[in-house]
Amino acid sequence: MHVPARELRQEYLRHDKKFPHVWCPGCGNGIVMGSLLRAISSLKLSKDEVVMASGIGCSGRMPTYLDFNTLHTTHGRALTFATGIKLANPTLTVMAIMGDGDATAIGGNHFIHAARRNLNLTAVIINNSIYGMTGGQYSPTTPFGARSTTSVYGHVEHAFSISELAVTAGASFVARSTVYHADLMDKLLEKAITKRGFAVVEVISNCHVQYGRRNRLGDAVEMITSYRDNAVTVRKAAAMTEEELEGKITIGVLADREMPVSTEEYARIRKQAQEKKK
Amino acid sequence: MSDLNGTRQLLQGNEAVVHGALAAGCRFFAGYPITPASEIAELFSILLPACDGTFIQMEDEIAGMGAVIGASLAGVKAMTATSGPGFSLMQENLGFACCAEVPCVIANVMRGGPSTGLPTSPAQGDVQMARWGTHGDHPIIVLALSSVIDSFTITAKAFNLSEKYRVPVILLSDEVVAHTRECVELPSTDEIRVVDRIRPSVPPDWYTPYEGDARGVPPMASFGDGYRHHVTGLIHDKQGFPTQNSSEIEAFHLRLAHKITRGFPEIQMSREFFLDDAEVAVIAYGSVARSSLRAVQDARKNGIKAGLLQLITLFPFPRGYVSPLLSQCRAVLVPEMNMGQISREVHRVNQTECRIVKHNRIDGQFITPTEIYKQLIKL
Ligand SMILES: Cc1ncc(C[n+]2csc(CCOP(=O)(O)OP(=O)(O)O)c2C)c(N)n1
Ligand code: SF4
């Protein structure tokens, strides 16, 4: 069911306290936030049961604006705090919002282990290929050759594919969208939130201010339309060669599998231990 | 509660930490293995599931500390345990807990440092780090364990203080305390006082998550119980939202500092032995306090008016006990398994003619009663 944006704003934003926000005009972070709110609204989750944790970065500011149980942790560590919350109270719907640097540089170890561990958590990674908040230094997803404030001569390292990393590390659900594909993103987020197990949604997003500008990718609108032009669905991508996929963004569900969820397994162990004690 | 409350047990220091924590209501442990602290994690992994608690081994100590904070925010009493290298890794998230006022307990079973240092050799080298390890001015409580029974009772006390003041409490144990086995009478459930954090009593709409009560400590809601609020490691206003307003920033720091200052009488713990007429005294903590007691007893037998002040609380530094002793004695001896991390605090509070003599071991060896006795008779 389509809920008008005005109603979503009214319902979910801490409009009386925490605005204006810190994001640049046109930043993709706002689109991801809107999509998350639509997903939460259509799933009819109660605001009291939602916990939104974030790390540090522009993306990390998102929970501040939202009327849930919100937690702004340390850089890269959102998933560790989220793990503690979920284990302590498995009835909560816990999600972590992270930037690409946050999730895969400083928090890379936590990310792969959260995927391996397969707790019932949702990780949303806003991948803008750069460290936005600190002023445009290269991140683990900055492409080879790209310019940043710490690679002014062109980047000499190679980028991670966050989604592929998540698939390999064992996440139950992995999907990718871009901020252009908002409808798809809504659906993927809904699936991720309801998925039993660790679910990752990577969103390719524009930081036109720190990344686009230095790499002549144009303004927000130009960057976002380039996602439209370069996106291929998972099904289409499967029939394409590696050369054809060069520069393309594969969108859709990359992994969706049923596996034992550690929170549920632990509940079983508790029961066993308690019976033994009796 | 721990099933062992009120019974007589042969326990190791590390095991007693676990039973003390359970007795105080701890139901969550997250950590990463490291000698000489690993037995704490191992025993928690066995006991927690049976009492509806949760154990998890994380990918590193940074994650362990993060998970502990998360569990506490969800309303469950939580702790972690480590040794020097892991304690170094925990510092950033420890600062988060100080800033966001998240109750939690961190046991650091000290071994020789720096770096990988001296695994499984006793040391007391992390004392100043426990106070100042995380960046920025921050409140914290640091308690020292000296025996198996202390490992039980002081750990339980650590949880109580942490809950009451919404502050992380660091337990400093050392390899000797951790691995010594002693027969102990554990207090019964009735004898163990359990303090829980104060929860908000106002309706959710009226809840101001970071407004201190009369003691300067804000009532704490758990995630999920209807009091939706924001928790951040940025300096925040009373609502919990980041602020750049200088008067709000100052008020934040002062409240955090004052909540501990106001609690001094309860937080500062020590034990006194033969101090009434003492002319010379030993000030010691941790396992060294036990060697010191023996040395003082021997000195008394030989007619020396010696006494011992055993510090349990190391920070906030118990000047209320130390200063009067310095006025009373002609000299004090501060034996430590480091280069003088508490003796510098004793110097700091000394406003008398009292001579402060250090006795330090940094060679991975325990300080014996004989050594202390030899120093004592020279004072
Ligand atoms: C331990 C630590 N190191 C460095 C920083 C500084 N820092 C803040 S945000 C950030 C990177 C942000 O980039 P990203 O995670 O990609 O998020 P974005 O700002 O692009 O949303 C860094 C390095 C920090 N806050 N903490
Ligand atoms: S710097 Fe980039 S990521 Fe940060 S708010 Fe601006 S556009 Fe968005």
Side-chain angles (χ1 to χ4, degrees), chain B residues 61-247:
Chain B
E61 289 85 348
I62 302 172
M65 192 62 216
V68 160
I69 296 170
S72 184
L73 287 169
V76 176
K77 291 187 190 176
M79 79 172 285
T80 184
T82 188
S83 189
F87 193 52
S88 289
L89 287 182
M90 286 176 187
Q91 295 303 320
E92 191 196 9
N93 281 344
L94 178 59
F96 182 96
C98 297
C99 182
E101 300 177 75
V102 185
C104 54
V105 173
I106 298 97
N108 174 7
V109 185
M110 292 182 284
R111 66 189 213 182
S115 190
T116 311
L118 280 172
T120 51
S121 285
Q124 296 177 315
D126 306 348
V127 168
Q128 289 290 341
M129 185 198 187
R131 175 62 192 92
W132 294 113
T134 196
H135 58 279
D137 279 301
H138 59 276
I140 205 150
I141 296 174
V142 182
L143 310 178
L145 308 179
S146 68
S147 64
V148 172
I149 191 68
D150 269 10
S151 297
F152 183 97
T153 53
I154 303 299
T155 299
K157 182 88 187 177
F159 273 95
N160 290 348
L161 291 175
S162 177
E163 291 285 312
K164 184 161 176 185
Y165 294 95
R166 288 190 62 174
V167 68
V169 177
I170 313 293
L171 289 170
L172 289 180
S173 181
D174 62 58
E175 199 275 330
V176 175
V177 176
H179 287 159
T180 300
R181 281 184 189 279
E182 293 181 274
C183 210
V184 287
E185 303 274 355
L186 297 178
S188 68
T189 306
D190 296 342
E191 290 169 297
I192 300 164
R193 209 167 72 93
V194 175
V195 178
D196 295 323
R197 63 192 70 168
I198 298 196
R199 314 245 169 201
S201 50
V202 295
D205 282 349
W206 296 3
Y207 182 45
T208 314
Y210 284 95
E211 181 162 49
D213 63 8
R215 301 171 301 127
V217 185
M220 183 170 173
S222 305
F223 281 167
D225 63 7
Y227 292 83
R228 296 189 303 279
H229 64 288
H230 185 61
V231 178
T232 177
L234 288 167
I235 306 300
H236 39 273
D237 59 20
K238 286 179 182 173
Q239 294 293 344
F241 294 117
T243 179
Q244 305 266 16
N245 175 313
S246 53
S247 62

Side-chain angles (χ1 to χ4, degrees), chain A residues 22-24 26-29 58 128 130 132-133 206-210:
Chain A
V22 299
W23 294 328
C24 307
C27 176
N29 286 344
C58 298
N128 57 16
I130 201 80
M133 174 143 275
N206 61 299
C207 173
H208 48 291
V209 176
Q210 299 294 2

Side-chain angles (χ1 to χ4, degrees), chain A residues 14 17-18 47-52 56 60-61 63-75 77 79-89 92 106 109-111 113-114 116-117 119 262 266 269-271 273-274 277, chain B residues 3 27-28 44-46 48-60 62-76 92-93 96 222-234 237 239 241-243:
Chain A
R14 285 172 168 151
K17 294 174 195 136
K18 268 332 325 163
K47 291 191 281 185
D48 286 337
E49 77 185 87
V50 174
V51 177
M52 194 177 279
I56 302 290
R61 291 300 179 110
T64 318
Y65 310 128
L66 300 179
D67 189 16
F68 303 114
N69 302 284
T70 56
L71 174 62
H72 184 207
T73 71
T74 45
H75 189 29
R77 320 300 178 195
L79 282 169
T80 71
F81 287 61
T83 297
I85 294 167
K86 184 70 187 177
L87 288 170
N89 185 352
L92 296 171
I106 193 163
N109 198 29
H110 309 310
F111 180 59
H113 285 281
R116 173 188 63 77
R117 196 171 277 136
L119 238 63
S262 60
Y266 198 79
I269 287 188
R270 269 189 192 158
K271 217 180 243 162
Q274 284 160 19
K277 210 167 122 185
Chain B
D3 290 342
R27 289 296 177 268
F28 187 93
F44 266 124
S45 81
I46 297 167
L48 276 170
C51 53
D52 258 334
T54 308
F55 166 87
I56 186 165
Q57 182 173 312
M58 296 298 285
E59 53 274 16
D60 58 29
I62 302 172
M65 192 62 216
V68 160
I69 296 170
S72 184
L73 287 169
V76 176
E92 191 196 9
N93 281 344
F96 182 96
S222 305
F223 281 167
D225 63 7
Y227 292 83
R228 296 189 303 279
H229 64 288
H230 185 61
V231 178
T232 177
L234 288 167
D237 59 20
Q239 294 293 344
F241 294 117
T243 179

Side-chain angles (χ1 to χ4, degrees), chain A residues 206-209 211-224:
Chain A
N206 61 299
C207 173
H208 48 291
V209 176
Y211 182 65
R213 197 160 47 99
R214 281 195 186 87
N215 291 284
R216 301 184 192 284
L217 299 174
D219 61 12
V221 175
E222 284 169 85
M223 284 188 80
I224 294 173

